């Protein structure tokens, strides 16, 4: 899939970057965290899986990125069956014990909003924790009609993201 046509596509929501702070009130909010492993090797494996789109692949999505890793302004089109979900990386987190990124939805995405993913390592106890948070609302007519089905799909994909990250940690053992 040629993702170059999405390089100039606009975000389909106004609150770009809001996942760095307080989520806008007029969206559905999702915030989940889960311990996925322990130790620096598992932290590195999880961070690599996240930043190289393997978390998305592991969740059963087809991934069509403009860059091999999540970098600012990279475009990724995620597909599940016939549904295409174009996104652009808004910012990247690159800290000693925290790696991640947020992407925002582009015109044509079934939802409108932003999703933040990050992996944290606690030097005090060696625990590796994955965090996923998002604000979203329907972005297309069919997601508006789908109502609660969209929330269920979001929850299912989030569960699959965590499972993919846990699998990455296990592979580092």
């Amino acid at each position: 899939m040629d993702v170059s046509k999405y390089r100039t596509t606009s975000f389909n929501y106004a609150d770009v970057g809001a996942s760095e702070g307080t989520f806008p009130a007029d969206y559905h909010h999702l915030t989940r965290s889960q311990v996925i492993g322990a130790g620096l090797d598992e932290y590195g494996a999880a961070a690599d899986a996240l930043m190289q789109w393997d978390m998305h692949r592991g969740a059963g999505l087809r991934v069509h990125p403009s860059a091999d890793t999540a970098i600012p302004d990279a475009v990724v089109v995620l597909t599940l069956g016939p549904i295409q979900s174009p996104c652009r990386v808004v910012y990247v987190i690159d800290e000693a014990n925290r790696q991640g990124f947020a992407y925002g939805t582009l015109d044509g995405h079934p939802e409108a909003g932003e999703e933040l993913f990050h992996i944290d390592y606690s030097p005090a106890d060696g625990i590796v924790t994955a965090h996923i948070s998002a604000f979203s609302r329907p972005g297309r007519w069919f997601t508006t009609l789908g109502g609660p089905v969209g929330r269920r799909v979001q929850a299912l994909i989030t569960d699959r993201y965590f499972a993919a990250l846990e699998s990455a940690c296990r592979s580092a053992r």
Side-chain angles (χ1 to χ4, degrees):
M1 170 183 286
D2 181 16
V3 299
S4 62
K5 69 179 182 178
Y6 292 104
R7 289 184 193 269
T8 58
T9 301
S10 299
F11 289 103
N12 65 355
Y13 65 105
D15 302 293
V16 177
S19 61
E20 286 187 284
T22 304
F23 284 2
D26 55 342
Y27 292 82
H28 168 76
H29 297 174
L30 168 90
T31 302
R32 291 192 41 205
S33 298
Q34 185 171 314
V35 172
I36 57 169
L40 280 173
D41 288 343
E42 293 186 27
Y43 168 69
D48 287 348
L50 173 62
M51 300 304 290
Q52 295 170 12
W53 311 109
D54 290 332
M55 175 193 75
H56 291 82
R57 289 182 188 96
L61 302 173
R62 294 192 64 206
V63 179
H64 310 279
S66 66
D68 292 336
T69 60
I71 58 174
D73 294 320
V75 172
V76 61
V77 179
L78 305 168
T79 59
L80 183 62
I83 306 293
Q84 293 187 357
S85 302
C87 301
R88 181 176 297 121
V89 175
V90 177
Y91 61 90
V92 170
I93 299 167
D94 186 12
E95 300 171 7
N97 298 313
R98 187 180 202 207
Q99 296 288 310
F101 67 92
Y103 57 41
T105 57
L106 301 176
D107 284 337
H109 195 291
E111 297 285 331
E114 204 162 285
E115 194 158 17
L116 168 63
F117 309 93
H118 61 93
I119 308 295
D120 293 354
Y121 173 72
S122 171
D125 57 14
I127 298 296
V128 179
T129 307
H131 304 272
I132 300 174
S133 54
F135 60 88
S136 61
R137 61 181 171 215
R140 307 277 303 275
W141 65 268
F142 57 87
T143 47
T144 300
L145 288 177
V149 173
R151 298 291 151 241
R152 182 66 194 123
V153 170
Q154 184 180 38
L156 176 65
I157 295 296
T158 300
D159 289 344
R160 289 180 176 188
Y161 287 157
F162 284 124
L165 292 169
E166 283 182 308
S167 178
C169 287
R170 280 193 304 276
S171 70
R173 291 182 189 146

